[in-house]
Amino acid sequence: MLSAFFFQFGTPVRIPWKKFFMGLSALCLTGMLLGGGAVALLFYWASRDLPNITRITDYTPLLATTVLARDGSQLGVFYHEKRYPIGLGDMPRYLPLAFLAAEDAAFYSHPGIDPTAIIRAILTNFRYGSNRSGGSTITQQIVKQLLLSSERTYTRKIKEALLAHRLEKYLAKDEILSIYLNHINLGAHAYGVEAAARTYFGKHAADITLAESAVLAGLPQAPSRYNPFRHPEKAKSRQMYVLGRLRDLQWITPEEYRQAAEEPLVYWSIPENAGGAAQWYLEEVRRLLMEFFSEKNLAALGVETSKYGEDYVYEAGLTVRTAMAPAHQEAAGQALRRGLEELDKRQGWRGSLERLGEEERRSFSARNGFTPLDLAGGAWVKALVTRVEQRGAHVALGQGYTGVIAVEGLAWARKPNPKVAAAFASPVKDARQILVPGDLIWVSAAARPVASQQGKRKKVTMEPYDPAEARTDTPIPLVLQQEPAVQGALVSIEPQSGDVVAMIGGYSFGESHFNRATQSRRQPGSSFKPVVYSTALDFGFTPASTVLDAPFVYVNPWTNQVWRPANYEHDYKGELPLYQALALSRNTCTVRVAQQVGIANVIQRAKALGLEPQFPEELAVSLGAVAVSPLNLTQAYAAFANQGLGVRPRIITSITDTAGRELYRQDVEHWQAITPQNAYIMAQLLKNVVNAGTGTRARIEGRFIAGKTGTTNEEHDAWFVGFTPYLATGVYVGYDQLQSLGRQEQGGRTAAPVFGYYRSQVENLYPPQDFVMPDGIVMQDSFAYRSDMPLEGRAATDEEGAQVGRDTSEGGENLMRQMF
């Protein structure tokens, strides 16, 4: 064809080469001008709606809020994006270098875009026919993440390039790199290198090695694909690529490369939230923070933000310090669980978790991933009953392991009957009455009897379960267990500071987040009586004053309703000294005292102690008829422990923002709720309750503990609030929906042991300390009296108190005669 073009009809054609080249040049120039114009128009069109660059220059990332316990340990973290900003100076030298090597080696030399990388990306995409490579610089990546969408289009790439070039004029290179390293998503909910270091290596970014830096630097390309927890081999391969780039760029030496390549990689995470019992405290802190950071409060604090409530708490990067003491919280959680489990066993067996069919039974052992360690430390596991006989039950645990529950290990599992006290119920003597094959149940390891010879006598001791001794060919001795349906709460306050060092809101946080320590309101029963007796001490009563324990009838003058309070035992002891009436928790004595001093004065005393409810002026208030929270009642008792000083409970002690500005601080807040003399006498009276009254199960050897039990009608709720000069603790036990705890499940039997379990674990944190006797107190016959009351006056008061009791009783009898 070319020959035909240059020769026509056999005759050579003369080509005007000069004109040809001039025309070709003009054509090329025209094409270039048109192409350049088109590109210019495209760039102009793309630049018309570019987002404002100040969103980056005024960069405010979403930051995690950290909650700390009193000792500075991390209690938990709240976040929408887990991010902890740090500066380049807080990173090891090779951490930013590793990211530059993997993502943008020319970062410090290009103007925001890298033409070489773009051409390389275009050729790669053309070769494979898809957008496989982006060629984006770190500056472009920041622009894309903070200003643009992630769509893969050339329009977006043009906008990205324009904005990246513009950003480089506003921010220094180090500023851009710092934003990148703190903002980038590195997988596993970790944003930025500090969060990633904590997540993958259990350390701060300042402490990671070159090898670990290379792992993190390999993540931005595909965080899920190179997640070292899920894909350690891929993460290692990507790490080697990053190390190779660092070596080829001569940013590390061959020896550093070799050492990093050979370094073993250990992946683990710093726990974000303290588990177990601490979850109750953390959730209460979260609830309080969201209430505090309302739109109105933030404006009052001068915080300029469009966020409030949960969004502000989860994104503002706050540091929240609390009063929680980890040792107290853990001991409190264990104590409440133990007490509720013991109560549940006294109530009887409610049945198995479920009954499996034949096919599920056959596959149970293979699919239940049991190991002997699962039973360590008293832990429970699920087991499948395979055979039952009179002497016990055989169970499958999984993976070939079996167990046996002797009938003694389920003797508690009687049929529930709240009208029969556990002490009078017959133990189960035949396992076939309780379990059948196919039952899925909870079990724990039983202690193992070990016989030893001591001289001529044989001694049997119980040794705890040892997982190392478990074998698949030998059944593991087990005990039947059951998760309690009953709930409870425990609160502990240091009276001097108001610090709430422990707060447990129920049996299991996983089952219910409802915090019964702060959110529940229940009648305190007799645990309210100290308020009445404290009032009486200011109205002429003394510990030796005589009060009458006899039937009492009261007719409300406005409603004509008749009220006949009775004692728990439904008996009467006649005249009693006031200290004994309180120790034995006699209801009729308390009502008579409240009537004499005036119920309005009792209510006034309750308010002075810090009790929050609105109390009606009814005598029933004296027996704890108005519901309170465990936290609030424990707060009231703190005044008896600390020379009459009321105290405001402290859960959150301070909140600071990322700049270190204090947004909130709760200082210690005291007020003189009662006189020091009144508080001291009450402490002595309430010590008698623990030593010789209804609270004896709360006694701890060598400690000076005072307290009061409480039980509501039909054993619906059980309470014990006890204190020493350094710690006040309240325990509540009851069902969320009112029902009886069972016969004889009073505060002294049900709640006081929980107090004892907890306090026996934390008493060693404080030196033994008795209540300090203030000025104005004299001791007589082992009782404390106000010194401003003469001996003859005390005797007169005693007689007067007895006379008051008799008058009231006679009035009651007269009312009865009038009515019937």
Side-chain angles (χ1 to χ4, degrees):
M1 293 182 66
L2 287 174
S3 298
F5 178 78
F6 286 109
F7 293 89
Q8 279 188 338
F9 308 108
T11 305
V13 177
R14 296 180 62 88
I15 302 296
W17 293 104
K18 186 176 180 179
K19 291 182 179 180
F20 174 78
F21 282 115
M22 288 179 64
L24 185 61
S25 299
L27 184 63
C28 292
L29 181 61
T30 302
M32 290 174 62
L33 290 172
L34 290 173
V39 171
L41 286 172
L42 183 60
F43 270 81
Y44 170 75
W45 173 80
S47 66
R48 287 183 306 164
D49 59 345
L50 289 179
N52 195 330
I53 204 75
T54 57
R55 285 170 55 186
I56 298 180
T57 57
D58 299 333
Y59 176 62
T60 52
L62 307 186
L63 305 179
T65 287
T66 302
V67 182
L68 304 176
R70 189 168 69 171
D71 63 1
S73 61
Q74 183 169 298
L75 177 56
V77 182
F78 304 132
Y79 59 83
H80 288 151
E81 292 183 1
K82 185 171 57 176
R83 180 182 287 108
Y84 310 96
I86 58 173
L88 292 178
D90 298 320
M91 304 176 196
R93 177 185 64 87
Y94 33 78
L95 179 56
L97 289 179
F99 277 86
L100 292 174
E103 296 294 319
D104 189 1
F107 174 73
Y108 279 97
S109 59
H110 63 61
I113 57 174
D114 187 351
T116 304
I118 293 174
I119 293 171
R120 184 171 60 249
I122 291 173
L123 292 175
T124 300
N125 293 339
F126 180 77
R127 177 182 177 186
Y128 290 99
S130 63
N131 289 340
R132 288 197 169 195
S133 178
S136 295
T137 65
I138 280 177
T139 312
Q140 288 175 275
Q141 291 183 48
I142 285 293
V143 166
K144 180 178 72 173
Q145 292 177 33
L146 293 177
L147 298 180
L148 301 173
S149 68
S150 58
E151 63 177 341
R152 286 175 169 261
T153 65
Y154 288 109
T155 302
R156 197 266 297 164
K157 292 295 291 185
I158 293 171
K159 291 183 178 182
E160 182 183 290
L162 290 169
L163 288 168
H165 184 67
R166 185 179 299 177
L167 179 61
E168 295 262 353
K169 296 179 180 180
Y170 281 90
L171 295 179
K173 287 285 188 179
D174 282 356
E175 292 177 303
I176 295 172
L177 182 58
S178 179
I179 291 174
Y180 173 78
L181 293 175
N182 281 296
H183 184 81
I184 190 162
N185 177 15
L186 296 173
H189 307 290
Y191 290 80
V193 293
E194 173 66 17
R198 298 186 190 191
T199 299
Y200 296 118
F201 297 109
K203 60 179 72 172
H204 296 285
D207 302 320
I208 66 173
T209 65
L210 170 59
E212 293 164 344
S213 297
V215 172
L216 298 186
L219 291 170
Q221 187 183 83
S224 297
R225 185 191 312 162
Y226 296 120
N227 184 313
F229 291 127
R230 297 178 182 175
H231 309 291
E233 299 85 2
K234 293 180 180 179
K236 179 64 180 179
S237 174
R238 182 66 178 167
Q239 178 217 30
M240 293 304 298
Y241 165 76
V242 176
L243 289 173
R245 288 282 297 153
L246 284 165
R247 179 197 57 197
D248 295 345
L249 291 165
Q250 298 184 0
W251 291 354
I252 61 173
T253 66
E255 179 60 21
E256 287 175 319
Y257 170 85
R258 184 189 63 79
Q259 291 178 356
E262 294 176 357
E263 181 181 312
L265 296 170
V266 179
Y267 302 116
W268 70 283
S269 300
I270 294 177
E272 293 177 14
N273 298 328
Q279 296 176 92
W280 289 108
Y281 210 107
L282 183 63
E283 175 61 19
E284 184 66 15
V285 169
R286 190 186 76 89
R287 191 173 65 85
L288 292 174
L289 287 173
M290 290 196 295
E291 287 180 3
F292 178 72
F293 286 112
S294 64
E295 192 172 9
K296 180 180 178 181
N297 284 351
L298 284 165
L301 289 167
V303 177
E304 295 183 3
T305 177
S306 60
K307 302 170 184 174
Y308 57 90
E310 180 180 309
D311 286 343
Y312 185 78
V313 172
Y314 278 60
E315 298 174 4
L318 306 171
T319 299
V320 182
R321 290 174 174 81
T322 72
M324 192 269 270
H328 281 266
Q329 186 73 8
E330 185 62 26
Q334 292 176 1
L336 184 63
R337 288 179 67 90
R338 177 181 173 183
L340 295 182
E341 288 166 7
E342 289 174 349
L343 169 61
D344 190 70
K345 284 184 170 62
R346 294 196 297 271
Q347 292 171 328
W349 174 247
R350 296 189 305 277
S352 62
L353 299 172
E354 60 177 308
R355 188 162 296 167
L356 303 185
E358 288 295 334
E359 188 171 336
E360 291 176 301
R361 296 185 206 179
R362 284 192 293 269
S363 63
F364 176 84
S365 185
R367 63 184 164 82
N368 199 41
F370 171 82
T371 70
L373 280 173
D374 293 341
L375 286 169
W380 298 3
V381 299
K382 289 180 179 179
L384 173 65
V385 178
T386 56
R387 189 172 85 252
V388 186
E389 52 196 29
Q390 185 270 328
R391 295 178 300 173
H394 296 261
V395 301
L397 296 169
Q399 305 304 312
Y401 288 94
T402 61
V404 60
I405 307 172
V407 70
E408 294 79 10
L410 48 76
W412 60 269
R414 67 182 178 107
K415 184 177 180 181
N417 185 350
K419 296 182 179 180
V420 178
F424 300 106
S426 300
V428 173
K429 297 181 179 179
D430 188 343
R432 293 171 297 185
Q433 298 174 355
I434 306 303
L435 301 172
V436 299
D439 280 349
L440 190 65
I441 58 175
W442 286 111
V443 296
S444 65
R448 182 168 56 93
V450 176
S452 59
Q453 197 74 29
Q454 292 186 351
K456 295 182 179 181
R457 295 195 311 173
K458 182 181 288 187
K459 183 180 180 181
V460 177
T461 58
M462 303 301 291
E463 290 192 354
Y465 165 75
D466 184 357
E469 297 180 357
R471 301 286 184 273
T472 54
D473 57 356
T474 305
I476 300 172
L478 302 169
V479 174
L480 179 66
Q481 299 289 359
Q482 177 176 252
E483 284 192 343
V486 67
Q487 289 292 346
L490 188 153
V491 178
S492 216
I493 302 174
E494 290 183 345
Q496 285 72 25
S497 63
D499 284 0
V500 180
V501 293
M503 175 172 52
I504 307 296
Y507 176 75
S508 171
F509 184 78
E511 296 295 325
S512 167
H513 295 182
F514 179 66
N515 191 331
R516 295 155 190 86
T518 59
Q519 295 175 287
S520 179
R521 303 289 185 275
R522 286 298 178 88
Q523 293 180 352
S526 294
S527 57
F528 183 83
K529 288 177 181 176
V531 179
V532 177
Y533 285 86
S534 172
T535 309
L537 293 176
D538 287 349
F539 280 82
F541 283 82
T542 73
S545 295
T546 304
V547 292
L548 184 63
D549 182 21
F552 181 92
V553 178
Y554 172 75
V555 178
N556 188 305
W558 292 277
T559 64
N560 289 324
Q561 288 185 327
V562 179
W563 182 48
R564 296 186 179 88
N567 295 318
Y568 179 82
E569 299 84 353
H570 297 288
D571 64 357
Y572 303 94
K573 297 183 181 297
E575 292 182 352
L576 294 172
L578 181 141
Y579 76 87
Q580 191 174 7
L582 178 58
L584 299 179
S585 198
R586 309 303 288 179
N587 289 342
T588 59
C589 294
T590 304
V591 173
R592 283 185 166 91
V593 170
Q595 188 180 49
Q596 170 63 14
V597 302
I599 195 64
N601 292 316
V602 173
I603 293 171
Q604 184 178 3
R605 176 56 48 87
K607 289 297 185 180
L609 291 168
L611 289 173
E612 298 169 350
Q614 295 299 316
F615 295 92
E617 291 195 14
E618 299 284 352
L619 275 177
V621 167
S622 65
L623 299 184
V626 176
V628 296
S629 73
L631 175 62
N632 192 208
L633 187 60
T634 307
Q635 173 194 356
Y637 273 67
F640 301 136
N642 192 27
Q643 301 180 5
L645 291 175
V647 68
R648 182 183 172 201
R650 299 200 308 169
I651 296 174
I652 296 174
T653 56
S654 71
I655 306 170
T656 54
D657 63 16
T658 53
R661 182 166 72 106
E662 194 166 75
L663 302 178
Y664 172 84
R665 169 174 290 278
Q666 183 180 334
D667 294 318
V668 176
E669 183 180 332
H670 281 133
W671 64 92
Q672 199 68 52
I674 54 178
T675 66
Q677 295 76 21
N678 187 294
Y680 182 78
I681 296 172
M682 285 304 304
Q684 301 307 309
L685 290 173
L686 294 173
K687 279 168 64 177
N688 192 50
V689 173
V690 174
N691 293 329
T694 58
T696 55
R697 286 185 173 90
R699 283 186 297 190
I700 297 176
E701 189 68 29
R703 297 288 171 162
F704 304 95
I705 295 173
K708 185 67 186 75
T709 56
T711 310
T712 59
N713 291 344
E714 300 179 11
E715 292 97 0
H716 284 159
D717 305 289
W719 295 77
F720 182 81
V721 186
F723 58 93
T724 54
Y726 45 83
L727 193 63
T729 302
V731 177
Y732 156 77
V733 177
Y735 286 97
D736 287 341
Q737 304 298 323
L738 281 179
Q739 67 182 80
S740 175
L741 295 171
R743 287 292 298 157
Q744 297 187 356
E745 294 297 345
Q746 316 101 316
R749 175 179 176 81
T750 305
V754 176
F755 173 95
Y757 299 151
Y758 159 65
R759 292 295 290 262
S760 64
Q761 295 300 310
V762 300
E763 287 297 323
N764 63 341
L765 301 176
Y766 307 89
Q769 182 182 349
D770 200 355
F771 300 94
V772 178
M773 185 169 66
D775 294 337
I777 291 289
V778 295
M779 300 298 295
Q780 180 183 336
D781 299 329
S782 300
F783 296 114
Y785 296 87
R786 284 168 33 199
S787 60
D788 60 355
M789 182 176 293
L791 293 179
E792 57 272 17
R794 295 175 211 154
T797 302
D798 294 349
E799 295 174 1
E800 181 182 349
Q803 184 63 42
V804 168
R806 283 192 291 271
D807 289 345
T808 305
S809 177
E810 291 168 4
E813 292 172 2
N814 290 336
L815 281 172
M816 292 175 69
R817 282 195 294 269
Q818 292 171 12
M819 293 178 64
F820 302 101

